[in-house]
């Protein structure tokens, strides 16, 4: 039987980061990966979608070129080249992950792994033992429990990333992060896009005011939204849904994307063997140590679950930082990682991003807050760039501490990253207003909000 200090199941951003950090600190690691290293994020998630989002941004800029005096442009959009470029980027980054995992202290077993007990996994009929085991198995697309007629193809996000040809039209079920990013991308590619969403507004992670403004912008670009509509079935006639008045309607589209969320990958993992039962479909963990909680309600001594598998914060950077936190614990090292401050971005054009509380959450929790707004159209750099659409809301408490910030507009994610860093250092809004910001930059939008 092979023995190492740590076994890691899954080589996505959680798993490969844990392997890299542990190996650098002299621990021996065995990583199990049943598909391609890099996981969802690299192969069918963050990176490929951002390649397509870049194409979308470029096409939208070209369509606006005349406003910048660039006239009589003639160009054709080659979807196959777009997909090839995306594949090249992904392949090259995957090579980088292979290099990380080629560290002499890391062994990679390219097979499905399942638990035998709290210190042993089985893969391809062989047993592997370790002092600690980290579950980093990620997640897969969810589907709705609705009738799908035989012969009707419903795609998930991975299928959509490997389309051979651009469809004429697409119906996207779900206006969460993944649905909205694809809606923005395919609309820019000239595809007729319809989005059907059960909730009152798109992007529930965002401040509702910001989400609404972003949706209105996307509507102006030609995307059709059906909000507060429950999809009831998919047939040759199209996607049927019950609208908010109780009437059934139908969207005809060449392709249908199901983007209704993600579920942790736990099938065939053998969690029974370590007496662990799923909670809301995820591997239950103690939220500060990421130790897996057994059916008896107490954390196991040697098994951890990080990233999408524990369902806490389904983001690549959350997986990476949870990995770092677990490795630090195994090494007995204290750290300052603030997993409660988790920025997130939505890469539509323009972007949206958020960290901390939204105004809706402040109201619902009865918090004494102030909301300071600022706008892209009042910022010199944004106007120079021709990016005048955007709004930022900075939420502060009665003590002046930043509670959250939500925004949409060009490069909103970069601005939110600054807020996130400031929140980690407990910066007050007055201290922020006193910090010099380069002129002209989009980050002055944040300073303007802080100045109130
Ligand atoms: C379309 C899309 C776009 C996204 N965009 C973003 C974004 O812009 N920013 C962001 O932060 N997040 C984004 N995400 C989410 C992000 O991809 C995930 O949060 C992240 O990949 C989670 O990392 P992970 O390491 O937990 O799991 P994963 O990346 O899912 O990796 C898990 C790995 O474990 C392997 N595995 C599973 N079970 C076993 C087993 N039993 N044995 C061996 N191997 C196993 C899988 O094959 C997989 O390779 C996106 C997701 C999607 C689908």
């Amino acid at each position: 039987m092979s023995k190492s200090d740590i076994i890691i199941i899954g080589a996505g951003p959680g798993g490969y980061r844990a392997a890299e950090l542990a190996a650098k600190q002299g621990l021996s690691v065995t990583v199990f990966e049943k598909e391609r290293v890099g996981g969802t994020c690299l192969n069918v998630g963050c990176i490929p979608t951002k390649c397509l989002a870049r194409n979308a941004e470029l096409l939208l800029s070209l369509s606006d070129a005349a406003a910048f005096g660039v006239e009589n442009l003639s160009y054709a959009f080659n979807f196959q080249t777009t997909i090839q470029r995306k594949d090249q980027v992904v392949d090259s980054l995957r090579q980088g992950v292979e290099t990380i995992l080629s560290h002499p202290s890391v062994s990679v077993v390219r097979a499905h792994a399942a638990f035998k007990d709290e210190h042993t996994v089985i893969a391809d009929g062989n047993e592997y033992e370790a002092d600690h085991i980290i579950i980093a198995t990620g997640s897969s697309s969810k589907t709705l429990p609705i009738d799908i007629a035989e012969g009707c193809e419903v795609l998930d996000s991975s299928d959509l990333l490997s389309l051979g040809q651009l469809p004429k039209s697409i119906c996207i079920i779900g206006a969460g992060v993944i649905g909205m990013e694809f809606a923005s991308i395919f609309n820019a590619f000239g595809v007729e896009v319809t989005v059907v969403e059960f909730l009152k507004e798109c992007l529930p992670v965002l401040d509702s005011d910001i989400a609404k403004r972003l949706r209105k912008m996307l509507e102006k670009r030609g995307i059709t939204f059906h909000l507060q509509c429950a999809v009831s079935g998919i047939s040759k006639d199209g996607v049927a849904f019950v609208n908010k008045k109780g009437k059934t309607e139908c969207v005809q589209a060449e392709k249908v994307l199901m983007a209704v969320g993600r579920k942790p990958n736990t099938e065939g993992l053998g969690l029974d063997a370590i007496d662990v039962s799923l909670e809301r479909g995820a591997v239950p963990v103690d939220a500060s140590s990421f130790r897996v909680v057994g059916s008896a309600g107490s954390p196991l001594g040697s098994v951890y679950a990080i990233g999408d598998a524990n369902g806490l914060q389904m983001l690549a950077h959350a997986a990476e930082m949870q990995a770092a936190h677990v490795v630090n614990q195994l090494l007995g090292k204290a750290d300052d990682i603030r997993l409660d401050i988790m920025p997130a971005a939505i890469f539509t054009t323009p972007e949206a991003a958020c960290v901390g509380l939204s105004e809706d959450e402040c109201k619902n929790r009865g918090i004494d807050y102030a909301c300071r707004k600022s706008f892209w159209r009042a910022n010199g750099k944004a106007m120079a760039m021709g990016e005048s659409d955007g709004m930022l809301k900075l939420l502060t408490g009665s003590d002046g501490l930043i509670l959250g910030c939500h925004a949409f507009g060009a490069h909103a994610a970069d601005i939110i990253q600054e807020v996130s860093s400031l929140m980690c250092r407990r910066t007050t809004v007055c201290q922020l207003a006193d910090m010099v910001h380069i002129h002209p930059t989009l980050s002055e939008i944040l300073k303007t909000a802080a100045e109130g």
Side-chain angles (χ1 to χ4, degrees):
M1 185 192 301
S2 141
K3 167 107 210 270
S4 45
D5 293 323
I6 309 178
I7 279 176
I8 299 170
I9 309 178
Y16 74 71
R17 186 78 179 127
E20 179 183 24
L21 295 170
K24 277 188 180 155
Q25 296 298 320
L27 299 176
S28 60
V29 183
T30 307
V31 177
F32 293 85
E33 175 52 60
K34 65 183 171 71
E35 290 172 20
R36 290 173 294 177
V37 301
T40 304
C41 167
L42 176 51
N43 296 298
V44 288
C46 323
I47 302 299
T49 49
K50 267 78 260 182
C51 289
L52 300 193
R54 170 70 187 127
N55 268 83
E57 196 181 48
L58 188 64
L59 283 168
L60 291 169
S61 295
L62 287 175
S63 68
D64 199 27
F68 291 79
V70 182
E71 291 169 359
N72 301 322
L73 270 186
S74 156
Y75 58 90
F77 174 53
N78 186 328
F79 183 61
Q80 275 77 26
T81 310
T82 301
I83 295 295
Q84 276 163 18
R85 190 186 84 87
K86 179 257 303 173
D87 290 340
Q88 279 162 7
V89 171
V90 169
D91 288 348
S92 131
L93 290 170
R94 193 185 309 110
Q95 199 44 55
V97 176
E98 293 282 5
T99 306
I100 290 172
L101 295 176
S102 67
H103 190 285
S105 302
V106 179
S107 308
V108 180
V109 179
R110 290 171 205 265
H112 179 280
F115 280 94
K116 182 183 174 211
D117 58 43
E118 286 182 33
H119 291 281
T120 320
V121 304
I122 304 180
D124 274 348
N126 299 313
E127 292 193 4
Y128 299 80
E129 200 183 278
D131 295 335
H132 302 280
I133 301 182
I134 302 176
I135 301 171
T137 50
S139 64
S140 313
S141 302
K142 272 190 198 165
T143 50
L144 287 178
I146 51 166
D147 285 338
I148 300 175
E150 222 179 293
C152 288
E153 196 192 9
V154 179
L155 308 177
D156 66 14
S157 56
S158 305
D159 302 323
L160 204 58
L161 287 165
S162 55
L163 280 183
Q165 265 189 328
L166 207 53
K168 286 205 165 42
S169 54
I170 186 164
C171 175
I172 299 179
I173 304 172
V177 176
I178 294 174
M180 291 296 279
E181 287 189 1
F182 277 117
S184 171
I185 290 166
F186 278 85
N187 161 271
F189 289 179
V191 176
E192 188 188 326
V193 179
T194 308
V195 181
V196 185
E197 167 58 49
F198 181 70
L199 297 176
K200 207 159 108 190
E201 190 49 87
C202 67
L203 295 169
V205 294
L206 272 186
D207 183 282
S208 57
D209 197 9
I210 303 253
K212 182 175 173 185
R213 285 168 190 250
L214 176 64
R215 171 178 53 83
K216 294 261 175 217
M217 267 195 80
L218 294 178
E219 277 174 347
K220 267 197 212 147
R221 262 175 49 196
I223 300 175
T224 305
F225 285 88
H226 295 283
L227 300 173
Q228 288 181 281
C229 292
V231 171
S232 51
I234 300 168
S235 68
K236 289 258 160 26
D237 297 332
V239 176
F241 62 88
V242 180
N243 69 19
K244 59 181 168 193
K245 291 183 182 144
K247 290 212 168 107
T248 299
E249 291 185 56
C250 200
V251 181
Q252 284 271 357
E254 193 182 322
K255 296 283 179 201
V256 177
L257 168 69
M258 182 83 82
V260 293
R262 312 264 308 163
K263 58 172 191 305
N265 289 331
T266 56
E267 230 177 87
L269 192 55
L271 290 175
D272 288 354
I274 54 169
D275 196 23
V276 169
S277 315
L278 298 182
E279 267 176 30
R280 277 171 272 117
V283 182
V285 290
D286 166 67
S288 59
S289 65
F290 299 103
R291 276 210 163 96
V292 171
V293 175
S295 302
S298 43
L300 307 181
S302 58
V303 186
Y304 299 78
I306 58 170
D308 285 10
N310 66 32
L312 294 179
Q313 296 159 319
M314 288 185 153
L315 292 163
H317 44 280
E320 285 201 29
M321 295 310 285
Q322 291 175 10
H325 189 51
V326 166
V327 172
N328 285 338
Q329 282 176 74
L330 298 184
L331 293 164
K333 269 173 51 178
D335 65 42
D336 256 351
I337 299 172
R338 291 284 308 266
L339 289 160
D340 56 326
I341 297 173
M342 188 55 64
I346 300 106
F347 294 93
T348 42
T349 309
E351 290 171 8
C354 59
V355 61
L357 299 181
S358 63
E359 186 168 14
D360 317 72
E361 285 167 323
C362 289
K363 277 185 192 154
N364 293 341
R365 295 185 194 184
I367 294 173
D368 179 12
Y369 72 94
C371 176
R372 297 148 199 264
K373 294 181 190 169
S374 61
F375 296 88
W376 264 242
R377 64 170 178 271
N379 175 269
K381 181 70 184 286
M383 292 303 281
M385 290 164 70
E387 297 283 358
S388 55
D389 291 308
M391 180 174 94
L392 175 142
K393 278 187 181 183
L394 181 65
L395 288 311
T396 53
S398 50
D399 50 5
L401 284 174
I402 301 170
L403 299 172
C405 188
H406 289 231
F408 84 98
H411 301 280
D414 299 338
I415 301 174
I416 292 299
Q417 183 53 57
E418 179 183 347
V419 182
S420 182
S421 307
L422 296 173
M423 286 175 75
C424 285
R425 290 291 164 259
R426 295 181 57 79
T427 310
T428 64
V429 68
C430 295
Q431 288 168 330
L432 166 57
D434 282 349
M435 288 174 183
V436 178
H437 283 64
I438 302 170
H439 177 75
T441 55
L442 295 176
S443 63
E444 287 174 301
I445 295 168
L446 176 62
K447 187 168 187 290
T448 306
E451 286 162 353

